Each structure stands twice: as structure tokens, then as C-alpha cells.
Amino acid sequence: MTMLDEQAREVLRRNDRGGYTVPTDGLYPYQWNWDSAFAAWGFATFDLPRAWQELETLMAAQWDDGMVPHIIFHRSDPGYFPGPDVWATNRTPATSGISQPPVAASLARLIWQEDEEMGQARLAALYPRLVAWHRWWHDKRCTHGPAAITHPWESGRDNCPDWDIGMAGVDSSGVGEYTRRDTGHVDPSMRPSKAEYDRYIAMVQFGVSVGWDQQRIVAEGPFLMADPGITFILLRAHQDLAVLGRALGQDVSEIESWAMELRNALPLIWNPVLQAYDAKNLRTGEFAGVLGSGAFLAYLAGAANPELDAQLMRVWDAVQYGIPSADPEAEIFDPRRYWRGPAWPVVNSLMAIGLRDAGRDDLVARLKNETAELIERHGFFEYFDPIDATPCGGDNFTWTAAIWLTWAGKDRGEERAKGAA
Ligand code: DGY
């Protein structure tokens, strides 16, 4: 075990709040949905029971309709805004009112594969909840075909340029006064702008005004966009969930039909002008017209094609450290501002799974090397400037530590020795 391996474990242990893990101390003091699933994957490299427990605390917060919320406010923390009082979902424990990328089934599969016998009972208990969550995505969010989001935070890629056209239509004039907390924890130039935050809060206020009625939010809410990122993550997760179901002796035909429907909807998010998958405003039918990392998650769902391959190489070759979250050759590119340009190790780890399945071992090796170098030079930061490697956002970040243990740092010593020989 290397010193970085030990430090990565330490990050997970320190961010463990007893059964659930916070993304990072200060900036994100609660349990976040997809962060938590990555934390579980990281724990699986040295503490399998703790890995299962992470998924269990996450899925325990599931709503009656199947939704698994994006934040679970286990205990109040004044260092975060918007907190449980703003979301006002009337749940115990308190939660937000939107979801987040459904990576849990795919990561549960990887965790289960570590020790199938030991994981069987834990998996069997989780399985119905995972199915109910996937059904929620299918029924409530795939009504237009591809997976739709009702708030940019639901995508997990909060302020990526994909959402600009949808955000432009959100009226934030009635939001009122509030105090952001995120900019007290990290450099404001690395975070979303005030204009974006006003709109984020306006969307939360709309959810509260309709009692978090998902049907009304989809039908009448201020924001509804098709998200290529979630579409591909969900498609992959449906497939992984079906594998798990079969291993448990379950009938998985319903899950397979969701996957087939979702795959059939992919042409709806292919933008021929952009020559790539693209986000779409479902209120107007307009494409976002920007290339982002959500499109490249197509590899994860086995949905890439030669045009997308060419786009991937273009944006990747334009930076030193891949894969940028927005197109470096586009005007909106901002290399340190959250999802408007930086490279995110956690997204790279998902891409690597897809590239590996596509037989692109050369690209996997390159991506792993660049990701590992970022972490070796600067530690477990949330994200990095893809041009000069400047570490950005929160430090001692759970999911960056997790993907070091599961992927980027795996066999790193041996690989480097081989390279030097
Ligand atoms: C935040 O508060 O910035 C989060 O990303 C919302 O999920």
C-alpha cells in the first residue's frame, strides 16, 4: 500500500459521520446521493461491510414514490445553504426534493463482485429499493424519452453550460435575500455565479410551492431539460441492475424494457449540427448546442460512435489533463469554474469504465495516468484546472479519494516502475 492509498483511506474515514459519508468537511456537510455511492465503492477496497452500509443509509432515505433524494440532512449544519428549512420537504430525515445521477446500482454491482457470497444478503435487501428508484426515473423523468432533470443540481453537473438555455427562462426576481455559504468555504471564482444561484433557489421555491409534487414540477416547473449525462448513467445502471436481479433469481424483464425504451430515445438527444449528444430544453425543443462531459458518458452506455470519438479526441487534446467538463474551444470555457471546464476525476472514472468496455485500453491508460498525476501532485481535490492542474473546489474530497483507491491509484506503483524500466 502506498502513502497516497493510506491518505485516501484516511479521507474516507475522516468524512465518515457514522454510517454515511460527507463529500467534504465544511462545503458539503450532509450525505449527497452520488457522492455517497462513490464513497461506498471506495470503502469496498478495504471495508466491505462499511461499503454496504453506505448504500443502505442512502437508500433508507427513499421517498414513498421511489425517488432517492440528492441530499439527506441527517443533522442540521448552519455551514450549508440551502438547508432543510429551505427545501421544506417534510421528510424524516429531512431531505432535498430532487434526485441525482443514479450510479448506485452500477457501483453496487462492482461492490458485490468483490465478494458475492458475503454481499448476497445485503444486495438482496437493497435490490427492491434500487428497482423502485429506477422505476421512478422511468415513470417520472423519462416521460419525454431521454432522462429529464427539473433542476441543474439533479444532473450532478450543476452549472455546466448544458443548462444555460433552460436557466435563461427561470425567473428569479422573487427569490428575496439569502446568504450563500459555499463561497465562504472555497474561492468564489471556482463556484457558480450569483445569477445562477438566484435561479437555483427560485427552482427550489417552486418545488416547495407545489408541495414537491413531481408531476406538477415536470409539467409546470420553471426548468425541464433532457440530460445526456443522466440518460447514459441510467441506461448503464439499468443494465447493471438487471445483472444483479438475475443473480438474485428475480424476473428482470421490466428493467430490460426500461433500458430498451431509453436506448431507443437516444436519437432525440443527438444534435446533428453539434455532431454529438446534447442537452435539450424540453419546454422548447431547443438543443443546448454545447459539448460537455455528459455527452461523453455515452461510452458508459455503449452508445458512442465515430463522430463522438472525434469530438472526444478534439476536446481532450486541447488540454493537458482530461477530460474537460466543457469544450475548451468554446467561448463559455472557464477552466476553474466548477462544471464549466475543469477536469473531474470522478467523471473520468465513469468514462474509463465505458472506454474499457469499448476496448479502448490506450485511452483508459491515458486517462488513468492524467487523473493519477493530478492527485499525486495536489491531493484529493474536488476537481482540477485541465490546463495547468491547479487544484480547485473542496480539499480532502471523498469521491476523489474513492476513485484513487478503486481506479486511478490502483497498481500505480507497478505501472510507474514499468514505465521507468
Ligand atoms: C451545492 O450546494 O452546490 C450542491 O452541488 C447542490 O447539490
Side-chain angles (χ1 to χ4, degrees), residues 62 69 181 183 278 324 354:
Q62 184 164 45
R181 300 288 177 195
T183 44
D278 196 5

Side-chain angles (χ1 to χ4, degrees), residues 28 32 70 80 153 158 191 197 338:
Y28 294 123
W32 258 262
H70 104 293
Y80 181 78
W153 288 346
D158 300 9
R191 295 287 302 170
Y197 244 78
Y338 214 36

Side-chain angles (χ1 to χ4, degrees), residues 71-98:
I71 309 176
I72 302 143
F73 302 106
H74 291 282
R75 37 180 133 120
S76 156
D77 190 313
Y80 181 78
F81 177 87
D85 49 327
V86 181
W87 286 94
T89 55
N90 292 322
R91 303 276 317 172
T92 309
T95 74
S96 68
I98 57 173

Side-chain angles (χ1 to χ4, degrees), residues 174-192:
V175 155
E177 292 294 310
Y178 63 91
T179 307
R180 283 175 69 169
R181 300 288 177 195
D182 59 320
T183 44
H185 296 291
V186 298
D187 181 342
S189 69
M190 295 177 178
R191 295 287 302 170

Side-chain angles (χ1 to χ4, degrees), residues 123-140:
L123 175 65
L126 273 181
Y127 180 76
R129 288 184 179 270
L130 288 168
V131 174
W133 188 25
H134 283 219
R135 187 179 292 114
W136 178 86
W137 274 106
H138 176 79
D139 291 352
K140 298 285 197 297

Side-chain angles (χ1 to χ4, degrees), residues 81-82 86-87 151-153 158-159 166-183 191-207 222-223:
F81 177 87
V86 181
W87 286 94
H151 191 299
W153 288 346
D158 300 9
N159 67 335
M167 287 280 276
V170 178
D171 176 9
S172 60
S173 57
V175 155
E177 292 294 310
Y178 63 91
T179 307
R180 283 175 69 169
R181 300 288 177 195
D182 59 320
T183 44
R191 295 287 302 170
S193 67
K194 156 112 175 90
E196 284 166 332
Y197 244 78
D198 284 351
R199 290 178 167 86
Y200 296 152
I201 302 309
M203 287 178 252
V204 173
Q205 290 173 345
F206 178 84
F223 181 97

